[in-house]
Amino acid sequence: MNLDELPEYGDSVKLKTPREGADTAIWLATLEDDGPTAGFFTEREAISW
């Protein structure tokens, strides 16, 4: 991957490894039945849209 071709997201954003990027999706997919059923999540936390 050529990092120079990526858009500029600012200094507060860092690239994630594939494992880090998949973490929240895997976490959501394996929650118990009483977990959240909709929303936007990052770092295992709900975020506003």
Side-chain angles (χ1 to χ4, degrees):
M1 173 177 20
N2 184 351
L3 297 179
D4 295 329
E5 294 177 2
L6 295 175
E8 178 59 45
Y9 292 111
D11 294 333
S12 64
V13 175
K14 72 173 187 99
L15 294 177
K16 294 181 179 184
T17 65
R19 180 183 293 258
E20 291 169 333
D23 179 72
T24 296
I26 301 300
W27 171 72
L28 288 166
T30 58
L31 286 175
E32 299 294 327
D33 289 340
D34 62 347
T37 58
F40 297 96
F41 295 82
T42 188
E43 306 293 330
R44 296 186 178 199
E45 294 185 14
I47 59 172
S48 62
W49 178 253

